């Protein structure tokens, strides 16, 4: 994505920190490009759980994907920011709502994304959320997840430190709780379809992995 587009996306957010963070995130993190690659040939609606500022939705629109996107987050400030950016950019088919994913999920049939939020959930909450999300994936659709994985690597230690820092700086409302293992994803999601787990850390020092369930 060109610097002109990332600068324009950042300009939709009034806070100085967001304007600094957004171009840096889009430049250094392969996350949204990887989700684009997974969903580019789909026309199914997308439910984005823990959507934050709605960056995935804005990114997918800028890359020419036009399926409806419903973003949910329990941080009202971020939902307000996502709605404002969607209005400013005159994007269509983007809806952002305040919702705590620990209280269940709305009806949905299509693709689902869960990006960098599972660490805020306890193990049983993670399992419940993953099952609810998988049930909402349409036949032929995908559940696309990014998560730090719990293992023995130095990357895992840096991942935990980064999430603690995000809480200390009030960037996140909660500190990290529990990180799943690759085996957790296989065990919970395999009954719903084919599961893939692959590294997705790009130029970052974090132990991030892409997990994809194909139904
Ligand atoms: C690291 S951010 C990732 C944001 C977005 N998925 C992205 O990748 O751009 C984690 C997000 O999860 C949200 N979150 C954490 N726990 C949540 C919950 N129980 N329900 C809904 N959102 C939650 C946070 O408010 C935050 O916006």
């Amino acid at each position: 994505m060109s610097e002109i587009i990332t600068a324009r996306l950042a300009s939709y957010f009034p806070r100085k920190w967001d304007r600094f963070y957004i171009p840096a995130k889009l430049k250094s993190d392969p996350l949204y490009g990887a989700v684009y690659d997974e969903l580019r040939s789909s026309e199914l609606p997308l439910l984005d759980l823990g959507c934050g500022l709605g960056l995935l939705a804005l990114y997918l629109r800028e890359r020419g994907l036009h399926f409806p996107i419903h973003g949910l987050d329990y941080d009202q400030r971020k939902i307000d920011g996502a709605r404002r950016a969607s209005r400013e950019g005159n994007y269509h088919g983007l809806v952002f709502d305040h919702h705590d994913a620990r209280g269940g999920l709305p009806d949905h049939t299509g693709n689902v994304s869960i990006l960098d939020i599972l660490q805020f959930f306890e193990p049983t909450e993670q399992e419940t959320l993953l099952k609810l999300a998988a049930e909402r994936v349409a036949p032929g659709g995908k559940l696309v997840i990014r998560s730090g994985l719990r293992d023995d690597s130095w990357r895992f230690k840096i991942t935990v430190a980064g999430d603690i820092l995000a809480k200390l700086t009030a960037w996140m409302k909660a500190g990290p709780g529990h990180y799943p293992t690759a085996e957790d994803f296989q065990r919970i999601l395999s009954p719903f379809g084919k599961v893939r787990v692959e590294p997705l850390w790009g130029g970052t020092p974090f132990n991030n992995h892409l997990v994809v369930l194909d139904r």
Side-chain angles (χ1 to χ4, degrees):
M1 179 170 281
S2 76
E3 283 188 16
I4 294 174
I5 296 176
T6 57
R8 182 158 54 72
L9 288 182
S11 77
Y12 300 145
F13 294 85
R15 289 173 83 227
K16 248 194 196 160
W17 167 253
D18 292 339
R19 288 186 177 202
F20 160 77
Y21 163 79
I22 289 166
K25 165 105 179 161
L26 292 172
K27 196 170 166 195
S28 66
D29 192 339
L31 173 61
Y32 303 131
V35 180
Y36 169 84
D37 288 341
E38 294 296 334
L39 301 183
R40 61 195 299 179
S41 56
S42 179
E43 293 186 354
L44 294 168
L46 173 66
L47 181 64
D48 184 23
L49 304 175
C51 64
L53 296 170
L55 290 182
L56 173 67
L58 306 185
Y59 178 95
L60 294 178
R61 283 293 183 271
E62 289 294 341
R63 297 216 44 197
L65 300 188
H66 293 292
F67 44 69
I69 302 178
H70 187 190
L72 301 176
D73 202 287
Y74 77 165
D75 187 334
Q76 186 64 50
R77 183 187 68 74
K78 289 184 178 162
I79 288 297
D80 291 343
R83 286 176 177 164
R84 179 192 162 110
S86 176
R87 272 197 313 274
E88 295 253 327
N90 202 22
Y91 297 103
H92 298 286
L94 304 186
V95 175
F96 299 100
D97 285 316
H98 179 264
H99 179 83
D100 188 333
R102 286 169 300 198
L105 294 181
D107 287 343
H108 172 80
T109 307
N111 295 308
V112 181
S113 53
I114 303 180
L115 308 181
D116 296 348
I117 85 162
L118 285 175
Q119 70 272 23
F120 300 114
F121 291 65
E122 294 305 323
T124 50
E125 293 174 333
Q126 285 178 1
E127 187 154 348
T128 302
L129 183 70
L130 289 172
K131 285 179 178 165
L132 289 175
E135 282 165 9
R136 282 156 176 77
V137 177
K142 291 182 182 181
L143 169 57
V144 184
I145 299 164
R146 186 169 76 170
S147 176
L149 291 191
R150 182 156 50 89
D151 58 23
D152 293 333
S153 65
W154 61 266
R155 285 182 171 278
F156 175 59
K157 293 183 180 70
I158 293 187
T159 303
V160 178
D163 285 331
I164 291 172
L165 191 64
K167 163 65 178 159
L168 291 176
T169 56
W171 175 241
M172 291 298 147
K173 279 189 3 172
H178 173 83
Y179 296 82
T181 62
E183 293 71 32
D184 288 331
F185 286 109
Q186 293 288 356
R187 174 178 57 79
I188 297 166
L189 295 177
S190 291
F192 296 92
K194 199 170 149 237
V195 180
R196 255 186 297 137
V197 181
E198 51 199 56
L200 184 64
W201 49 64
T204 76
F206 304 116
N207 198 33
N208 286 326
H209 285 70
L210 184 73
V211 180
V212 180
L213 164 71
D214 279 274
R215 259 203 115 164

